[in-house]
Amino acid sequence: MLTSDRMLIRGGRPLSGRVRAQGAKNAALPVMAASLLLKGRSLKLSRVPDLQDIHTMADLLRHLGAEIEFKDGTMTIDVPEDLKWETPSDLVRKMRASSLVLGPLVARCGRAVLPLPGGCAIGSRPIDFHLKALTRMGAEIDLEQGSVHARTDGLSATRINFDFPSVGATENIMMTAALTEGETTIENAAREPEIENLADALRAMGASVEGDGTSTVSVKGARDLVSAKVTIIPDRIEASTYLLAGMITRGRVAVDGIDPAYAAALLSKLEEAGITAATSDDSVSLDCRGAGWNGVTIKTLPYPGFPTDMQPQIMAALCLADGTSIIHESVFDSRYMHVGEFRRMGCKIDIQGNTVVITGVPQISGAEVHASDLRAGAALILLGLAAEGETVVCALKHVWRGYERLTDKLRSLGADIELLPDGESADKFDDAGD
Ligand code: UD1
């Protein structure tokens, strides 16, 4: 895997061509965690993206006792009869999604220790919903020396109502419920497509799951789950990032292997801005040759609203719009760390609390900039592709967490980019986000 930390971009070239969407990182991570529900059986996943976060989750599962083979997008996870239930802080702190093993471990082993994830570059991100819901199901939870200690003599099915449709909390409780006898009902559940992919996996393993994709999900658990095969859905955030790479460079990019419905919120905002996508059953393309676009107002929301994971990338495109745009970030409490770096490239952005006002400019210029987190890094690359002159995006380690073969894919579209050896410019930001 590439580990280079900086990318040199010679901007101003319209991107053109087709790329294929990778499997969704945010679907693969919970499905991998769900393997822990098995005992002496295996889970086989296809279309798994080769990403840093996937390797972190694989290392965590190996630490707990699983055996994992991963080659050419296919991952086989063999889970032994006996599992460890203490998770190591070095792995957990690398990635917030490590908290997805908590529910499966409590359900499977009756115990779990998980170092509490700290804040990250996109907000405070507590896991209180996960913990309250596990407590309602009969787990005793204590916080000792910065770690969650959970134990139970037996969980029971119940009704859970989340204060906010948290993706991770919905997933954790669906997995816990899959091994808990009786019917657990989750109200105000998250409705993301990744939740449906996890539900498919749990059904294939023998649990009964209904209502996934709606805000009420019911799970009837089984005593013992069975070996299963699951295909990971396409990554809507990666696919959307390439579409915006085509748009911001005024080129023509098509993404294959993605259901356009997954990108509906983005496509409808682009249409409002004056850019209409062409879609088929499994591809989306934007022809922006010679195009301009207008400013729009966007509020990030849980699915099916506009995804917070596309907020930095759409902000990059709106910096070059005709007129003013407004973005209101309603999912995370501090997801504007990238704005300072955007300004270094000539973007005009004012921040007022969780709202930004963007005044479109006709041109931006290259600069050395630092990625504060995964999607911020992707957005800086988009700006670099559109900017006049050379841009160096530093701290790419954040970007490798979520974009498979990024350099190859961008080059295949005609981008003039080069990976540079790790520079002196130390990482300014510490991130366990996304
Ligand atoms: C997942 C995605 C991430 C995406 C986010 C929102 C994965 C691996 N990551 O993260 O890319 O940005 O959904 O779409 O799928 N909250 C609490 N208490 C909790 C849980 C959440 O207050 O117990 C808050 C969070 O701080 C945040 C909001 O709820 O403000 C949404 O978080 P959540 O949906 O849980 O995001 P993640 O599952 O962490």
Side-chain angles (χ1 to χ4, degrees):
M1 252 181 111
L2 276 175
T3 54
S4 174
D5 202 42
R6 297 183 300 155
M7 181 185 283
L8 167 67
I9 306 171
R10 294 182 192 91
R13 287 163 177 73
L15 299 196
S16 165
R18 316 187 75 88
V19 289
R20 190 175 164 72
Q22 69 186 29
K25 166 179 89 73
N26 287 353
L29 292 171
V31 172
M32 288 172 72
S35 69
L36 294 174
L37 297 167
L38 298 171
K39 207 172 196 176
R41 304 193 194 252
S42 62
L43 189 63
K44 189 167 181 177
L45 283 60
S46 41
R47 202 172 178 179
V48 180
D50 191 354
L51 300 170
Q52 197 57 58
D53 275 9
I54 297 294
H55 289 277
T56 302
M57 181 60 88
D59 287 344
L60 180 54
L61 299 183
R62 283 192 187 104
H63 170 92
L64 295 169
E67 281 182 23
I68 301 184
E69 265 182 39
F70 182 29
K71 203 172 170 221
D72 300 332
T74 299
M75 179 179 283
T76 307
I77 310 174
D78 289 309
V79 188
E81 296 272 336
D82 291 319
L83 278 182
K84 284 192 197 142
W85 40 264
E86 271 184 277
T87 58
S89 83
D90 55 332
L91 287 176
V92 172
R93 294 190 74 86
K94 261 193 196 172
M95 180 179 71
R96 190 184 147 80
S98 308
S99 54
L100 290 170
V101 302
L102 181 63
L105 285 178
V106 174
R108 166 75 152 73
C109 308
R111 291 192 74 170
V113 176
L114 181 90
L116 208 51
C120 66
I122 61 178
S124 52
R125 301 184 82 180
I127 57 164
D128 53 328
F129 304 154
H130 308 230
L131 302 183
K132 270 190 218 157
L134 284 171
T135 307
R136 264 188 76 79
M137 292 181 75
E140 270 177 46
I141 308 247
D142 293 305
L143 293 180
E144 288 168 27
Q145 295 185 324
S147 291
V148 174
H149 290 247
R151 70 164 67 221
T152 180
D153 294 329
L155 297 170
S156 42
T158 183
R159 185 170 280 271
I160 284 155
N161 197 316
F162 286 126
D163 291 345
F164 184 89
S166 155
V167 176
T170 302
E171 291 167 343
N172 235 331
I173 298 310
M174 284 169 68
M175 292 188 277
T176 310
L179 213 52
T180 301
E181 273 186 79
E183 180 167 285
T184 299
T185 303
I186 307 170
E187 305 277 12
N188 202 18
R191 297 158 62 190
E192 270 70 0
E194 293 76 19
I195 301 278
E196 294 183 64
N197 206 185
L198 175 63
D200 287 340
L202 296 175
R203 279 189 285 262
M205 289 159 72
S208 154
V209 184
E210 283 176 13
D212 46 298
T214 77
S215 47
T216 304
V217 178
S218 300
V219 181
K220 277 192 201 137
R223 259 172 205 268
D224 196 19
L225 296 170
V226 297
S227 295
K229 289 184 185 171
V230 190
T231 300
I232 299 303
I233 59 169
D235 195 314
R236 59 200 168 96
I237 305 301
E238 187 225 21
S240 301
T241 304
Y242 285 108
L243 289 174
L244 289 189
M247 173 175 162
I248 201 167
T249 60
R250 294 182 164 79
R252 181 167 60 157
V253 167
V255 181
D256 296 319
I258 176 93
D259 178 346
Y262 284 173
L266 171 70
L267 299 184
S268 104
K269 273 298 157 192
L270 293 184
E271 187 148 356
E272 211 180 305
I275 300 285
T276 303
T279 59
S280 73
D281 283 355
D282 73 341
S283 81
V284 187
S285 64
L286 293 181
D287 185 351
C288 300
R289 289 172 297 175
W293 49 91
N294 304 315
V296 287
T297 294
I298 292 177
K299 182 175 183 178
T300 65
L301 287 166
Y303 191 86
F306 193 94
T308 174
D309 288 351
M310 282 304 295
Q311 179 256 102
Q313 301 94 310
I314 192 77
M315 188 187 292
L318 293 177
C319 286
L320 290 162
D322 291 328
T324 304
S325 300
I326 295 173
I327 300 182
H328 180 72
E329 172 59 62
S330 88
V331 177
F332 288 110
D333 57 15
S334 126
R335 199 169 192 173
Y336 290 138
M337 298 276 278
H338 46 283
V339 167
E341 304 298 295
F342 274 39
R343 287 189 187 128
R344 290 162 56 78
M345 299 183 72
C347 299
K348 284 200 175 161
I349 307 172
D350 284 324
I351 307 186
Q352 288 153 15
N354 278 336
T355 301
V356 293
V357 179
I358 305 158
T359 308
V361 293
Q363 186 57 271
I364 51 171
S365 51
E368 180 174 298
V369 286
H370 289 249
S372 50
D373 66 73
L374 166 52
R375 307 303 169 186
L380 289 169
I381 291 173
L382 296 185
L383 286 178
L385 291 167
E388 228 168 36
E390 295 190 348
T391 294
V392 176
V393 180
C394 305
L396 281 182
K397 65 167 193 176
H398 300 301
V399 178
W400 304 140
R401 296 183 44 207
Y403 291 89
E404 183 184 50
R405 295 178 44 244
L406 174 76
T407 322
D408 294 346
K409 281 181 160 177
L410 286 177
R411 281 199 186 123
S412 78
L413 297 172
D416 186 351
I417 53 178
E418 221 174 287
L419 290 179
L420 304 175
D422 292 358
E424 285 167 19
S425 46
D427 189 4
K428 291 206 293 189
F429 304 96
D430 193 18
D431 166 53
D434 210 290

